[in-house]
Amino acid sequence: MTPKHSFLGFLISFFLMGVAETHPAQESLKPQRVHFQSRNFHNTLHWQPGRARASNSSVYFVQYKLYGQGQWKNKEDCWGIQEFFCDLTNETSDVQEAYYGRVKTALAGIHSGWTTTQRFTPWWETKIDPPVMNVTQVNGSLFVILHAPNIQYRNQKGNNVSMENYYELVYRVFIINNSLKKEQKVYEGAHRNVEIEALTPHTGYCVVAEIYRPMLDRRSQRSEERCVEIP
């Protein structure tokens, strides 16, 4: 083999070794479990580091796009960050639309590939807070006043709309007899003021409530219990 051919073979081998070493590094840096978390229409992208050990020198880059669009957009506030989350509430403000987010990692001059979320639709996936509840005891009855969480979303016209009007919320109220350790649903409907009657004297009761969204068949977490003693 001539020296020229020998040197050419060395260059090819060196290049192939470099590619082989870089590709596993890119894969090991690729972010994992990239997903949206949504609460009260506050939409945040979350992820975990790749299989490679997390480093303080690792930085992350975030992009997003509307479903059906071909071009991704950079999230400038989350470009080269070290956190494992990025707030995309403003970029996903039309709650009836569907979105994607994606993240990549850079470390020591090596960039991973992108990891993309599943399709995300805020109105379907957002979790809502439970109602705030006040309970008072009058003449052996309990009066429950419910307050929906003050949540608004932006409609297609750019106006802020109350979540309560959009979802047609249903309230569910449950009462727990502390002596019998028994729970009973005493109300389900759209009214915020509920009276609970026919309670046993000299008995302690706890009341708890939740919000139900019929169109999605989903419910909120339960409120804090409010406990009273019937004289």
Side-chain angles (χ1 to χ4, degrees):
M1 181 181 292
T2 64
K4 180 178 179 180
H5 289 162
S6 177
F7 180 70
L8 180 61
F10 169 78
L11 288 179
I12 293 174
S13 298
F14 180 81
F15 174 76
L16 291 177
M17 289 177 60
V19 171
E21 292 177 358
T22 301
H23 183 69
Q26 290 175 332
E27 286 300 312
S28 65
L29 287 175
K30 198 172 181 180
Q32 298 183 335
R33 296 189 63 188
V34 181
H35 65 285
F36 278 96
Q37 291 183 7
S38 180
R39 188 178 186 87
N40 301 333
F41 295 122
H42 187 92
N43 309 321
T44 307
L45 191 67
H46 290 259
W47 61 89
Q48 293 183 355
R51 296 189 305 273
R53 177 180 295 182
S55 168
N56 292 334
S57 300
S58 298
V59 292
Y60 301 93
F61 304 87
V62 174
Q63 292 184 331
Y64 64 95
K65 72 173 183 176
L66 191 67
Y67 173 72
Q69 290 184 343
Q71 185 174 1
W72 290 88
K73 297 180 181 179
N74 297 341
K75 172 62 175 175
E76 299 297 338
D77 294 341
C78 302
W79 200 253
I81 62 174
Q82 293 186 308
E83 292 81 9
F84 301 141
F85 62 90
C86 175
D87 189 344
L88 290 175
T89 301
N90 290 335
E91 291 73 19
T92 56
S93 60
D94 189 337
V95 301
Q96 296 184 13
E97 291 287 356
Y99 303 89
Y100 290 101
R102 68 180 186 177
V103 187
K104 72 174 181 178
T105 311
L107 174 63
I110 299 176
H111 288 252
S112 75
W114 294 96
T115 304
T116 304
T117 65
Q118 295 182 341
R119 187 165 61 183
F120 166 70
T121 307
W123 77 271
W124 173 258
E125 299 189 45
T126 198
K127 297 180 180 179
I128 63 175
D129 286 338
V132 177
M133 182 179 60
N134 296 323
V135 179
T136 57
Q137 185 275 131
V138 179
N139 297 327
S141 296
L142 296 182
F143 291 86
V144 180
I145 301 176
L146 302 164
H147 303 276
N150 184 20
I151 304 169
Q152 295 186 340
Y153 74 95
R154 190 179 303 171
N155 63 15
Q156 294 179 344
K157 296 181 180 180
N159 300 322
N160 289 330
V161 180
S162 169
M163 176 204 65
E164 191 172 11
N165 295 335
Y166 177 72
Y167 276 122
E168 298 180 357
L169 302 180
V170 170
Y171 298 94
R172 290 173 169 172
V173 179
F174 304 84
I175 191 168
I176 304 162
N177 185 317
N178 293 333
S179 298
L180 302 177
K181 304 298 181 182
K182 182 179 179 181
E183 179 182 286
Q184 177 185 1
K185 183 167 70 173
V186 293
Y187 176 75
E188 179 170 336
H191 296 296
R192 297 184 182 183
N193 298 333
V194 179
E195 181 179 1
I196 306 174
E197 302 178 291
L199 300 176
T200 304
H202 312 297
T203 302
Y205 290 92
C206 291
V207 182
V208 67
E210 67 185 23
I211 293 175
Y212 178 62
R213 292 176 285 175
M215 68 169 63
L216 302 180
D217 191 25
R218 294 188 180 184
R219 62 185 184 181
S220 71
Q221 292 183 340
R222 289 191 166 189
S223 65
E224 294 184 7
E225 289 185 356
R226 294 289 184 266
C227 300
V228 296
E229 184 81 17
I230 303 299

